Each structure stands twice: as C-alpha cells, then as structure tokens.
C-alpha cells in the first residue's frame, strides 16, 4: 500500500482519448492511497477509506506524505539513429550502441517514463542498419521500461521501383520476425512511394504512424482508416491542417522541445487544444537533433512555451500518450484493474512541475507493482 499522498492524480474519466474539457480533468484525490496486489491496482481512494479495508491489514506500507502520485509518463516519440554501414562491421561499435540505448532507457525510467515508443530512423530504403538497431531493441525488450518498436521511413527519395520492392521485402521480414509492430512515414515522400509504403504496411499487418506535415495529403482519406497516430514535426500548420487534426480520431503527438529553437513559439497547439484535438505529449528525443528525454521538461515547455495548462500537459503525457501506443486499456490512469505503473514526485502540488523545471522531481518509480527506482528516504514497512 502506498499511502498518504498529498495529491493523488488518478486521471479517471472517459475510457478513450481525452479531448476538449476532458483534457483538463485530473480526478485528484487529496490525501490519497493506493493498494496494489500482483502488479495491479486493487483499490484507490482517500487514505481514510483505504486504510480501513480488511485487505490492507496484511499489506506492507510506503508512506509518501507531502508528495504527489501520478501515472508513469508514456513517451511515444523516442527516435534512435542506426549505425552507418561502415560501423556495422565493427562489433565494438554495435555493442556500444546497445549499451547507449540501454543507458538512455534507464535514464528515462529515473525521470518517470515507464513506457515508450522507440523509433529506428532510416535515412534510405536500404535497411541493414535499421534491422541491426531493431534487433538490439528487441533484445533489450521491456526492461527497464516497456517498449513498442517502430521503423521510421525518413527519406526524400522519389519513386524507385527497385528500392520500394526491397522495402516491401523488409516490411515482411520486420513483421515475421516481430522486430517492429509499426511503420512511420516521415520526411517528404512523393505520392507513389508513400502509397507503396502504406500498401506494404497493410499487407504485413503493421500499424501506421504519419509525421506531419507530409506531401502525401492525397492519400489521407485512405490513410486515416489505418493510422495509429499523427506526429507533429512542426507547429507551422495551415488552417486546413489544423481543422483536419482537430477532427482526428487518433492521437496527435507533439513535442515542445523544438520550440526552444524558435524566437516566437507558435500558438497553433493552443488552437488545436481548443478545437478538440486529442493531444499526446512526447519528449521528441533524437540523438542527433534534440537529445532531450525528460518528460518533466516536456510538460514544462508545453506549458511555458506552447500555452497549454498544466492539466492538459499531464493528461497528454499519460493517458493520451498511452492510447497513442495502444495501451490505454492497461496504463495511463490509476484505476482498479489497471497496471500499477506510477511515479511519486517530491512536490507539494502538480502545478509545480512546470514551475520547477530543470530538476528531476521523481523520488520513486513503481512498475507493475514493484519499486524499480527509489532515491528517497521512504522505507517499506510491514503491516
């Protein structure tokens, strides 16, 4: 039992994506406690009610008075770069890449991210390097954090029948070997290349992500039925694009870290939120372009630079991000029957997350009911 949190952010609410007013509802319990058994949440509520339950008598207790508890962060946009073809022949560099990926995921865990989408980014339709990276990520599996693997096709190549034929074969192998469950279209592809990628994804039962903006707008009516989520690479959106994303039935994932490079941050995200877009938040980590993995910082930037409220940013970083990974049924909120993935933050109020940016406030991480990170003085006591 984790007891006595000053604020327990359960995020209980509608079962699907949150948008509009629901994007601002945290369902907070003051002086809240959670009872966990076999990795699942079995009770959640006020400390007075929980501590009087019969099943609590034999439970170990963790006292977290003065702190806040919220669902573990979900990062749907960690982008990893594959090694060059030359480096593939050097085993030491491959091993180094594996260790770097593992170290990154450990750091994510320590900063409160418990689940993430890992994207192997391709610079062309020749995929040996990407396969090596995806095999490494497959070997890492779901430890230290839960992962979903995606192959990102990022190229400006025009249509090449030979290259796209190779790609179709690669997509089949990805699916057969279970190295990835999704494809993501990035860059500015011509119509025929984009169409071939989409067809190969469908043929191999791979889900689709679409990075926005993209030159495949003519395919959108068909693509929308197969997409898992949109990624906003830029908030420099035209009005028709804003309208389309506001009406989206899949998560619209954005990263605020790019706003650091802009003199005047865009107000488009605020317009998307007001228009009812189902927003999800990502760190936008890219080893080369934006090596920022801290979701606490992402929340702060979404509030301070892109005009979201603290409530909207937290919902976007938890329940909506969980839906972006297809995991909204099991994580993203703290409710009975869901997985006990949660973080304890050494803050008196959730609104302090964006105010006190630049510091890791995570004191404890609980994953599937087990304490996997603890840098506090809190001790587990037997009942």
């Amino acid at each position: 039992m984790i007891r006595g949190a000053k604020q327990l952010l359960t995020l209980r609410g509608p079962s699907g994506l949150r948008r509009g007013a629901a994007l601002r509802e945290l369902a907070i319990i003051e002086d809240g406690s959670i009872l966990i058994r076999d990795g699942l949440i079995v009770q959640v509520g006020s400390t007075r009610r929980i501590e009087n339950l019969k099943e609590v008598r034999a439970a170990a207790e963790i006292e977290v008075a003065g702190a806040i508890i919220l669902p573990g962060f979900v990062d749907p946009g960690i982008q990893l770069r594959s090694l060059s073809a030359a480096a593939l022949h050097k085993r030491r560099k491959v091993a180094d890449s594996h260790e770097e990926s593992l170290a990154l995921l450990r750091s994510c865990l320590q900063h409160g991210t418990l689940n993430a989408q890992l994207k192997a980014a391709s610079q062309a339709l020749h995929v040996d390097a990407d396969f090596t990276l995806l095999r490494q990520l497959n070997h890492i599996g779901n430890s230290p954090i839960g992962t979903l693997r995606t192959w990102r096709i990022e190229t400006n190549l025009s249509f090449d029948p030979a290259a796209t034929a190779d790609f179709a074969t690669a997509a089949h192998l990805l699916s057969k070997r279970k190295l990835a469950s999704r494809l993501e279209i990035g860059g500015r592809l011509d119509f025929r290349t984009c169409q071939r990628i989409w067809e190969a994804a469908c043929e191999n039962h791979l889900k689709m992500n679409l990075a926005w903006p993209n030159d495949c707008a003519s395919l959108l009516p068909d693509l929308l039925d197969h997409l898992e989520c949109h990624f906003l690479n830029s908030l420099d959106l035209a009005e028709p694009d804003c309208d389309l994303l506001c009406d989206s039935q899949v998560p619209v994932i954005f990263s605020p870290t790019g706003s650091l490079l802009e003199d005047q941050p865009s107000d488009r995200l605020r317009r998307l939120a007001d228009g009812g877009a189902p927003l999800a938040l990502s760190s936008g980590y890219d080893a080369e372009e934006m090596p920022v993995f801290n979701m606490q910082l992402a929340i702060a930037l979404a509030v301070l630079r892109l005009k979201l409220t603290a409530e909207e940013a937290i919902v976007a970083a938890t329940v909506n991000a969980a839906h972006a990974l297809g995991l909204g049924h099991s994580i993203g909120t703290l409710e009975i029957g869901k997985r006990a993935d949660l973080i304890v933050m050494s803050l008196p109020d959730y609104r302090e997350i964006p105010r006190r940016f630049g510091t890791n406030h995570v004191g404890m991480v609980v994953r599937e009911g087990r304490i996997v990170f603890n840098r506090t003085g809190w001790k587990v006591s037997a009942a």
Side-chain angles (χ1 to χ4, degrees):
M1 173 183 176
I2 304 178
R3 72 185 304 275
K6 186 172 182 180
Q7 293 178 335
L8 172 56
L9 282 60
T10 69
L11 280 83
R12 289 180 296 191
S15 59
L17 283 166
R18 310 290 171 83
R19 59 174 83 218
L23 195 61
R24 299 186 291 274
E25 296 297 329
L26 300 182
I28 298 173
I29 299 174
E30 303 288 343
D31 186 17
S33 296
I34 297 179
L35 182 62
I36 300 168
R37 183 173 61 239
D38 298 328
L40 300 177
I41 297 171
V42 294
Q43 290 289 340
V44 57
S46 67
T47 299
R48 172 176 287 187
R49 182 180 74 81
I50 298 297
E51 64 186 3
N52 288 325
L53 296 175
K54 181 179 179 180
E55 58 232 82
V56 170
R57 296 174 187 171
E61 292 186 359
I62 302 172
E63 180 71 40
V64 295
I68 66 174
I69 296 176
L70 65 159
F73 298 129
V74 181
D75 190 345
I78 294 180
Q79 184 159 288
L80 304 174
R81 299 285 180 176
S82 54
L83 292 171
S84 66
L88 284 175
H89 298 291
K90 300 179 180 179
R91 291 192 174 187
R92 185 183 62 81
K93 291 204 172 183
V94 172
D96 289 347
S97 175
H98 177 275
E99 289 303 315
E100 288 171 4
S101 298
L102 195 56
L104 169 65
L105 299 183
R106 291 185 183 126
S107 295
C108 289
L109 175 75
Q110 293 167 7
H111 287 76
T113 298
L114 274 68
N115 293 274
Q117 177 173 219
L118 307 181
K119 300 187 290 184
S122 178
Q123 298 298 326
L125 298 183
H126 302 289
V127 297
D128 288 347
D130 297 326
F131 267 52
T132 297
L133 176 56
L134 287 167
R135 280 193 292 267
Q136 291 174 5
L137 298 178
N138 185 42
H139 180 69
I140 291 172
N142 290 312
S143 180
I145 67 173
T147 61
L148 180 151
R149 295 180 300 279
T150 296
W151 184 32
R152 176 179 168 90
I153 309 304
E154 185 178 5
T155 177
N156 295 319
L157 295 178
S158 59
F159 178 72
D160 180 347
T164 51
D166 291 343
F167 166 78
T169 301
H172 174 71
L173 291 175
L174 283 175
S175 177
K176 180 179 179 180
R177 297 176 184 176
K178 299 182 179 179
L179 295 179
S181 59
R182 296 186 183 191
L183 298 179
E184 180 173 314
I185 302 176
R188 296 192 175 275
L189 306 179
D190 67 85
F191 176 88
R192 295 182 70 187
T193 303
C194 185
Q195 184 179 41
R196 189 67 192 100
I197 291 172
W198 170 56
E199 290 172 352
C202 294
E203 290 167 3
N204 293 285
H205 309 290
L206 297 170
K207 302 293 186 180
M208 287 283 294
N209 299 340
L210 175 67
W212 195 275
N214 200 289
D215 282 350
C216 60
S218 56
L219 271 181
L220 279 178
D222 291 325
L223 280 173
L224 288 175
D225 292 334
H226 299 274
L227 288 178
E228 285 293 292
C229 50
H230 295 293
F231 277 88
L232 294 183
N233 286 338
S234 170
L235 290 175
D236 185 20
L237 299 171
E239 290 293 336
D241 293 342
C242 283
D243 294 340
L244 178 63
L245 293 174
C246 286
D247 293 335
S248 176
Q249 299 304 307
V250 297
V252 178
I253 301 174
F254 71 96
S255 169
T257 50
S259 69
L260 290 172
L261 306 178
E262 301 173 2
D263 293 334
Q264 295 295 325
S266 171
D267 64 351
R268 294 296 192 188
L269 194 65
R270 181 69 260 163
R271 294 186 60 182
L272 289 175
D274 292 340
L279 298 176
L281 177 62
S282 165
S283 69
Y285 177 90
D286 186 306
E288 295 180 0
E289 297 180 7
M290 191 59 67
V292 178
F293 59 83
N294 187 351
M295 289 292 284
Q296 298 169 65
L297 179 59
I299 288 173
L301 292 174
V303 173
L304 300 175
R305 295 280 292 176
L306 300 180
K307 304 180 182 179
L308 291 192
T309 66
E311 295 82 1
E312 290 168 335
I314 291 172
V315 170
T318 53
V319 59
N320 274 9
H323 280 289
L325 300 192
L327 299 174
H329 62 285
S330 60
I331 61 172
T333 65
L334 302 179
E335 301 180 81
I336 294 174
K338 286 201 170 184
R339 218 161 67 198
D341 283 8
L342 59 91
I343 55 179
V344 180
M345 300 187 76
S346 305
L347 290 171
D349 190 286
Y350 71 88
R351 286 163 289 203
E352 294 299 307
I353 297 175
R355 292 174 184 166
R356 302 189 191 184
F357 68 93
T359 300
N360 182 15
H361 299 290
V362 173
M364 183 181 295
V365 176
V366 176
R367 182 173 181 234
E368 297 182 2
R370 296 184 302 107
I371 298 174
V372 293
F373 176 69
N374 184 7
R375 63 184 184 95
T376 72
W378 294 316
K379 303 296 182 182
V380 179
S381 61

